[in-house]
Amino acid sequence: WNKFKYQLQYGNGTKGASILATTRLETVANIVGTHPAHHLVGLSDDDIWSLFRQQVFGPNGEERAELVMIGKDIVRKCNGSPLAAKALGSLLRSKTDEHQWDSIEKSEIWKLYDDATKSALTLSYY
Protein backbone atom coordinates (compact mmCIF):
# COMPACT_ATOMS: atom_id res chain seq x y z
CA TRP A 1 0.00 0.00 0.00
CA ASN A 2 2.74 2.46 0.91
CA LYS A 3 4.54 1.94 -2.44
CA PHE A 4 1.29 2.42 -4.28
CA LYS A 5 0.38 5.55 -2.30
CA TYR A 6 3.88 6.95 -2.87
CA GLN A 7 3.48 6.55 -6.64
CA LEU A 8 0.26 8.52 -6.55
CA GLN A 9 1.75 11.31 -4.45
CA TYR A 10 5.30 11.59 -5.75
CA GLY A 11 5.92 9.07 -8.49
CA ASN A 12 5.29 9.08 -12.16
CA GLY A 13 1.51 9.05 -11.85
CA THR A 14 -0.50 11.61 -13.77
CA LYS A 15 -0.85 14.86 -11.88
CA GLY A 16 -4.19 14.90 -10.17
CA ALA A 17 -4.60 11.12 -10.27
CA SER A 18 -6.56 9.79 -7.34
CA ILE A 19 -8.09 6.66 -5.92
CA LEU A 20 -11.48 6.50 -4.24
CA ALA A 21 -11.67 3.77 -1.63
CA THR A 22 -15.08 2.75 -0.36
CA THR A 23 -15.58 0.70 2.75
CA ARG A 24 -18.05 0.08 5.53
CA LEU A 25 -15.21 -0.35 8.04
CA GLU A 26 -13.74 2.66 9.81
CA THR A 27 -10.43 0.84 10.28
CA VAL A 28 -10.00 0.47 6.52
CA ALA A 29 -10.66 4.18 6.03
CA ASN A 30 -8.05 4.95 8.70
CA ILE A 31 -5.46 2.71 7.01
CA VAL A 32 -5.99 4.48 3.67
CA GLY A 33 -5.74 7.66 5.67
CA THR A 34 -4.99 10.32 3.08
CA HIS A 35 -8.19 12.26 3.80
CA PRO A 36 -10.73 12.12 6.58
CA ALA A 37 -13.43 9.55 5.95
CA HIS A 38 -16.67 10.80 4.45
CA HIS A 39 -19.59 8.99 6.07
CA LEU A 40 -22.59 8.40 3.85
CA VAL A 41 -26.10 8.35 5.22
CA GLY A 42 -28.55 5.67 4.20
CA LEU A 43 -31.32 6.24 1.74
CA SER A 44 -34.82 7.12 2.93
CA ASP A 45 -37.37 4.33 3.42
CA ASP A 46 -39.22 5.62 0.33
CA ASP A 47 -36.09 5.44 -1.82
CA ILE A 48 -35.16 2.00 -0.48
CA TRP A 49 -38.72 0.80 -1.08
CA SER A 50 -38.55 2.06 -4.67
CA LEU A 51 -35.29 0.18 -5.26
CA PHE A 52 -36.58 -2.98 -3.56
CA ARG A 53 -39.92 -2.81 -5.41
CA GLN A 54 -38.14 -2.51 -8.75
CA GLN A 55 -35.94 -5.55 -7.94
CA VAL A 56 -38.86 -7.68 -6.78
CA PHE A 57 -41.72 -6.76 -9.07
CA GLY A 58 -39.93 -5.27 -12.09
CA PRO A 59 -41.41 -2.46 -14.14
CA ASN A 60 -44.71 -4.24 -14.92
CA GLY A 61 -44.95 -6.79 -12.14
CA GLU A 62 -48.04 -7.42 -10.08
CA GLU A 63 -47.81 -5.97 -6.58
CA ARG A 64 -49.88 -8.11 -4.26
CA ALA A 65 -51.01 -6.14 -1.20
CA GLU A 66 -49.91 -8.80 1.30
CA LEU A 67 -46.40 -8.95 -0.22
CA VAL A 68 -46.15 -5.15 -0.32
CA MET A 69 -47.00 -4.99 3.39
CA ILE A 70 -44.32 -7.56 4.30
CA GLY A 71 -41.88 -5.98 1.83
CA LYS A 72 -42.20 -2.58 3.51
CA ASP A 73 -41.37 -4.20 6.86
CA ILE A 74 -38.30 -5.82 5.27
CA VAL A 75 -37.23 -2.52 3.76
CA ARG A 76 -37.31 -0.81 7.17
CA LYS A 77 -34.85 -3.43 8.40
CA CYS A 78 -32.45 -2.52 5.57
CA ASN A 79 -31.63 0.75 7.38
CA GLY A 80 -31.19 2.70 4.17
CA SER A 81 -28.72 0.28 2.59
CA PRO A 82 -29.19 -0.03 -1.19
CA LEU A 83 -27.07 -3.19 -1.24
CA ALA A 84 -29.34 -4.83 1.35
CA ALA A 85 -32.47 -3.82 -0.57
CA LYS A 86 -31.10 -5.12 -3.88
CA ALA A 87 -29.89 -8.40 -2.37
CA LEU A 88 -33.21 -9.13 -0.69
CA GLY A 89 -35.19 -7.89 -3.69
CA SER A 90 -33.30 -10.29 -5.93
CA LEU A 91 -33.86 -13.11 -3.45
CA LEU A 92 -37.60 -12.51 -3.21
CA ARG A 93 -38.18 -11.93 -6.95
CA SER A 94 -38.90 -15.59 -7.54
CA LYS A 95 -40.80 -16.11 -4.29
CA THR A 96 -44.54 -15.62 -4.58
CA ASP A 97 -45.61 -17.32 -1.37
CA GLU A 98 -46.43 -14.98 1.48
CA HIS A 99 -44.87 -17.40 4.00
CA GLN A 100 -41.51 -17.20 2.22
CA TRP A 101 -41.50 -13.41 2.50
CA ASP A 102 -42.66 -13.60 6.10
CA SER A 103 -39.80 -15.97 6.99
CA ILE A 104 -37.29 -13.41 5.65
CA GLU A 105 -38.92 -10.58 7.59
CA LYS A 106 -39.06 -12.57 10.85
CA SER A 107 -35.70 -14.31 10.50
CA GLU A 108 -33.44 -14.48 13.54
CA ILE A 109 -30.52 -13.52 11.28
CA TRP A 110 -31.58 -9.86 11.61
CA LYS A 111 -30.56 -10.10 15.29
CA LEU A 112 -27.11 -11.59 14.63
CA TYR A 113 -25.50 -8.42 13.28
CA ASP A 114 -25.60 -4.73 14.06
CA ASP A 115 -25.20 -4.13 10.33
CA ALA A 116 -28.36 -4.44 8.20
CA THR A 117 -26.29 -5.07 5.07
CA LYS A 118 -24.55 -8.06 6.67
CA SER A 119 -27.88 -9.45 7.78
CA ALA A 120 -29.42 -9.01 4.33
CA LEU A 121 -26.43 -10.60 2.58
CA THR A 122 -26.47 -13.51 5.02
CA LEU A 123 -30.18 -14.01 4.41
CA SER A 124 -29.73 -13.92 0.65
CA TYR A 125 -26.84 -16.40 0.91
CA TYR A 126 -28.82 -18.93 2.94
Side-chain angles (χ1 to χ4, degrees), residues 3 5-6 29 31 49 53 55 87 97-98 106 108 116 120:
K3 285 181 182 180
K5 193 162 80 169
Y6 178 84
I31 289 168
W49 169 248
R53 191 178 99 238
Q55 280 298 122
D97 183 49
E98 186 178 337
K106 291 185 168 78
E108 292 294 315

Side-chain angles (χ1 to χ4, degrees), residues 87-119:
L88 292 175
S90 293
L91 169 70
L92 293 170
R93 179 182 309 145
S94 61
K95 313 250 186 267
T96 57
D97 183 49
E98 186 178 337
H99 297 292
Q100 293 170 311
W101 283 52
D102 205 41
S103 72
I104 295 295
E105 195 272 323
K106 291 185 168 78
S107 174
E108 292 294 315
I109 291 175
W110 291 108
K111 297 176 185 175
L112 292 179
Y113 306 104
D114 292 334
D115 182 349
T117 303
K118 260 188 193 172
S119 297

Side-chain angles (χ1 to χ4, degrees), residues 65-75 98 101-102 105:
E66 62 275 6
L67 296 183
V68 168
M69 188 172 73
I70 297 167
K72 288 190 176 188
D73 288 338
I74 291 170
V75 161
E98 186 178 337
W101 283 52
D102 205 41
E105 195 272 323

